Amino acid sequence: MTGTSTAPELFVQAVAALRSLRPRAELALAEVRPPQRLAPFAYALTAEATGPADVHATGRLILLHDPEGQEAWNGVLRVVAYVRAELDAELADDPLLPNVGWSWLTDALAAAEAGYSALGGTVTDTSSARFGDIAGPARTDDLELRASWTPTGGLGPHGEAFCDLMASVVGLPPEGVALFTQRGGQSAAK
C-alpha cells in the first residue's frame, strides 16, 4: 500500500474492506506492491484461480485514491481490474468471446450490488504459436480483460465482484452449485 502514513480515512476504510475479503477456496488472493505513480494512494491484490477444466487465471485488483479527484474518474477512488486466462482453442475461436468476457465483469458487479460509474475497459483474445526451441504447447489462446470504474458505496462488493469475475473466467459454477462431470458414462457431482 502506498501513502499509508497520512492516508485519508476514506482510503483506509476502502483498504480494510478489501483486506476483509474471504474468497472461495479455489481462489487465492495476496497483497502486492501497488503501482506508484497512478495516484497519491494505492493498494493492490493479486489473484489466482484454477477451474474444473484446468483453466488457470491470474488477476490483479488495484485501488487508487486521489483526494483531489481526477476528471476521468468522476470521483476520488478508482478500481482497476486485470484478468488473464489461457483458454482452449475452441472457446478462443468464438467471435462472441469479448462480449462474454465483458458480461462476466458487468454481471459480477450487478450480482454483488457494487455501484459504479465511469466503467470502461477492453477484452482482448489472442492466439500465439511457438516455433523452434521455445518450450511449451505449439499454440496458446489467451483472454485478457482490463477494466476500471469509480466505485459508489463501500469497496467490499467490488472485491466480491472481482472474485466472482475470476471464478467465471475459469469456469467455476456459483458457490453452492454442484458441478457435474462425466465419469465412466455416469454423471457425478463434483
Side-chain angles (χ1 to χ4, degrees):
M1 181 167 48
T2 59
T4 55
S5 61
T6 59
E9 186 61 25
L10 175 65
F11 180 71
V12 171
Q13 290 176 0
V15 169
L18 292 177
R19 283 184 171 156
S20 71
L21 286 173
R22 299 293 172 247
R24 59 193 294 167
E26 302 91 344
L27 178 63
L29 296 177
E31 290 185 28
V32 293
R33 184 179 174 156
Q36 303 295 304
R37 298 184 182 173
L38 298 178
F41 303 93
Y43 174 77
L45 293 169
T46 61
E48 289 193 32
T50 301
D54 290 329
V55 174
H56 183 74
T58 58
R60 190 173 316 148
L61 183 69
I62 302 167
L63 171 64
L64 303 173
H65 176 55
D66 185 342
E68 301 295 317
Q70 294 189 17
E71 188 175 332
W73 293 4
N74 193 30
V76 296
L77 291 173
R78 191 77 175 162
V79 176
V80 179
Y82 170 77
V83 176
R84 182 191 164 282
E86 190 172 305
L87 305 173
D88 65 43
E90 185 178 317
L91 182 58
D93 288 338
D94 186 335
L96 296 177
L97 179 62
N99 294 348
V100 171
W102 190 253
S103 74
W104 288 333
L105 172 63
T106 56
D107 290 351
L109 288 166
E113 298 181 3
Y116 61 87
S117 66
L119 172 66
T122 62
V123 177
T124 306
D125 55 338
T126 60
S127 293
S128 300
R130 290 186 170 99
F131 300 96
D133 290 338
I134 296 177
R139 174 182 164 166
T140 58
D141 297 287
D142 299 310
L143 171 86
E144 285 187 359
L145 183 144
R146 297 172 185 262
S148 65
W149 61 91
T150 299
T152 57
L155 258 289
H158 297 272
E160 292 170 20
F162 176 72
C163 292
D164 288 347
L165 168 64
M166 290 290 297
S168 293
V169 168
V170 298
L172 292 169
E175 285 190 279
V177 174
L179 179 66
F180 288 93
T181 60
Q182 292 287 4
R183 291 187 188 164
Q186 303 277 333
S187 290
K190 200 171 187 183

